[in-house]
């Protein structure tokens, strides 16, 4: 992840296939359904998340909650931009 509208982007790995999303948030693994439709709608989740103890779970919880609420997508210069209904945004870049 390269950008998050609510603060510094935490270190995350996100893998998207034709119908699933999975990866690792700062501490925990997650997975769920992923559906992108034309022209720019996206549905993510529900997300299943491993809940290992970590010092500050609030940032991870917030980012995964935002991820599951994204409703729009766009591709700009090989980056996936996701936008939610309340204006929250996430930008994912390929490795």
């Amino acid at each position: 992840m390269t950008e998050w509208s609510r603060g510094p982007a935490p270190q995350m790995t996100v893998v998207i296939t034709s119908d699933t999303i999975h990866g690792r948030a700062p501490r925990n693994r997650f997975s769920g359904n992923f559906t992108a439709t034309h022209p720019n709608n996206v549905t993510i989740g529900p997300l299943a998340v491993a809940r290992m103890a970590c010092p500050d779970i609030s940032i991870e919880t917030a980012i995964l909650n935002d991820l599951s609420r994204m409703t729009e997508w766009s591709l700009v210069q090989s980056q996936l931009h996701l936008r939610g209904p309340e204006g929250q945004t996430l930008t994912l870049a390929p490795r």
Side-chain angles (χ1 to χ4, degrees):
M1 175 178 311
T2 60
E3 294 178 25
W4 181 36
S5 61
R6 296 187 193 265
Q11 181 67 32
M12 282 182 70
T13 301
V14 179
V15 177
I16 298 171
T17 67
S18 61
D19 61 354
T20 64
I21 185 169
H22 66 274
R24 185 174 190 97
R27 298 271 189 231
N28 293 293
R29 296 185 184 279
F30 65 90
S31 63
N33 297 324
F34 180 88
T35 306
T37 58
H38 186 72
N40 66 341
N41 297 325
V42 67
T43 303
I44 298 173
L47 293 178
V49 182
R51 294 290 181 190
M52 297 178 2
C54 60
D56 188 6
I57 195 74
S58 62
I59 293 172
E60 183 168 296
T61 300
I63 194 96
L64 291 173
N65 284 340
D66 276 0
L67 181 62
S68 69
R69 288 195 292 257
M70 295 294 138
T71 57
E72 298 176 25
W73 67 274
S74 62
L75 280 175
V76 178
Q77 297 180 357
S78 299
Q79 294 185 336
L80 177 61
H81 295 266
L82 299 170
R83 183 174 190 82
E86 292 121 27
Q88 68 272 39
T89 61
L90 295 171
T91 302
L92 306 173
R95 291 197 278 174

